[in-house]
Coordinates of all heavy atoms in Angstrom, one line a residue:
V618 N 12.0 19.9 -12.4 CA 13.3 19.9 -13.0 C 13.7 21.4 -13.2 O 12.9 22.2 -13.6 CB 13.2 19.2 -14.4 CG1 14.6 19.3 -15.0 CG2 12.8 17.7 -14.2
K619 N 14.9 21.7 -12.8 CA 15.5 23.0 -12.9 C 15.7 23.3 -14.5 O 15.8 22.4 -15.2 CB 16.8 23.2 -12.2 CG 16.7 23.1 -10.7 CD 18.1 23.3 -10.1 CE 18.0 23.4 -8.6 NZ 19.3 23.5 -8.0
K620 N 16.0 24.5 -14.8 CA 16.2 24.9 -16.2 C 17.4 24.3 -16.8 O 17.4 24.0 -18.0 CB 16.4 26.5 -16.3 CG 15.0 27.2 -16.1 CD 15.3 28.7 -16.2 CE 13.9 29.5 -15.9 NZ 14.1 30.9 -16.0
D621 N 18.4 23.9 -15.9 CA 19.6 23.3 -16.5 C 19.4 21.7 -16.6 O 20.3 21.0 -16.9 CB 20.8 23.6 -15.6 CG 20.7 23.1 -14.2 OD1 19.7 22.4 -13.8 OD2 21.6 23.4 -13.4
G622 N 18.2 21.3 -16.3 CA 17.9 19.8 -16.4 C 18.1 19.0 -15.2 O 17.7 17.8 -15.1
R623 N 18.7 19.6 -14.1 CA 18.9 18.9 -12.8 C 17.7 19.1 -11.9 O 17.0 20.0 -12.0 CB 20.1 19.4 -12.1 CG 21.4 19.2 -12.9 CD 22.6 19.7 -12.1 NE 22.4 21.1 -12.0 CZ 22.7 21.8 -10.9 NH1 23.1 21.2 -9.8 NH2 22.5 23.1 -10.8
K624 N 17.4 18.0 -11.1 CA 16.4 18.1 -10.1 C 17.0 18.9 -8.9 O 18.1 18.7 -8.6 CB 15.9 16.7 -9.6 CG 15.2 16.0 -10.6 CD 14.7 14.7 -10.1 CE 13.9 13.9 -11.1 NZ 13.4 12.6 -10.6
P625 N 16.1 19.7 -8.2 CA 16.7 20.4 -7.0 C 16.9 19.3 -5.9 O 16.4 18.3 -5.9 CB 15.5 21.3 -6.6 CG 14.3 20.7 -7.3 CD 14.8 20.0 -8.5
A626 N 17.8 19.7 -5.0 CA 18.2 18.9 -3.9 C 16.9 18.6 -3.1 O 16.1 19.5 -2.8 CB 19.3 19.5 -3.0
A627 N 16.7 17.4 -2.7 CA 15.6 17.0 -1.8 C 15.7 17.7 -0.5 O 16.8 17.8 0.1 CB 15.5 15.5 -1.7
R628 N 14.6 18.1 0.1 CA 14.6 18.6 1.5 C 14.9 17.5 2.4 O 14.2 16.4 2.4 CB 13.2 19.2 1.7 CG 13.1 19.9 3.0 CD 11.7 20.5 3.1 NE 11.3 20.7 4.5 CZ 10.6 19.9 5.2 NH1 10.1 18.7 4.6 NH2 10.3 20.1 6.5
R629 N 15.8 17.8 3.3 CA 16.1 16.7 4.4 C 14.8 16.6 5.3 O 14.2 17.6 5.7 CB 17.2 17.2 5.2 CG 18.5 17.3 4.4 CD 19.7 17.8 5.2 NE 20.2 16.7 6.0 CZ 21.2 16.8 6.8 NH1 21.7 18.0 7.2 NH2 21.6 15.8 7.5
K630 N 14.6 15.3 5.7 CA 13.4 15.1 6.6 C 14.0 14.5 7.9 O 15.0 13.8 7.9 CB 12.5 14.0 6.0 CG 11.9 14.5 4.7 CD 11.0 13.5 4.1 CE 11.7 12.4 3.4 NZ 11.0 11.4 2.8
I631 N 13.3 14.8 9.0 CA 13.6 14.3 10.3 C 12.5 13.1 10.5 O 11.4 13.3 10.4 CB 13.5 15.2 11.5 CG1 14.5 16.4 11.2 CG2 13.6 14.6 12.8 CD1 14.5 17.4 12.3
I632 N 13.1 11.9 10.6 CA 12.3 10.7 10.6 C 12.5 10.0 12.0 O 13.6 9.6 12.3 CB 12.6 9.7 9.5 CG1 12.4 10.6 8.1 CG2 11.8 8.5 9.5 CD1 13.0 9.8 6.9
V633 N 11.4 9.8 12.7 CA 11.4 8.9 13.9 C 11.4 7.5 13.4 O 10.4 7.1 12.7 CB 10.2 9.2 14.9 CG1 10.3 8.2 16.0 CG2 10.3 10.6 15.4
H634 N 12.4 6.6 13.6 CA 12.5 5.4 13.1 C 12.9 4.5 14.3 O 14.0 4.5 14.8 CB 13.6 5.2 12.0 CG 13.6 3.9 11.4 ND1 12.8 3.5 10.4 CD2 14.4 2.9 11.6 CE1 13.1 2.3 10.0 NE2 14.1 1.8 10.7
M635 N 12.0 3.6 14.8 CA 12.2 2.8 15.9 C 11.2 1.6 15.9 O 10.3 1.6 15.1 CB 12.3 3.5 17.2 CG 11.1 4.4 17.5 SD 11.2 5.4 19.0 CE 12.9 5.6 19.2

Side-chain angles (χ1 to χ4, degrees):
V618 176
K619 291 181 178 181
K620 289 181 183 179
D621 64 4
R623 294 180 298 134
K624 289 184 179 182
R628 182 178 158 264
R629 297 177 83 184
K630 296 180 285 188
I631 296 178
I632 303 169
V633 174
H634 184 83
M635 55 183 25

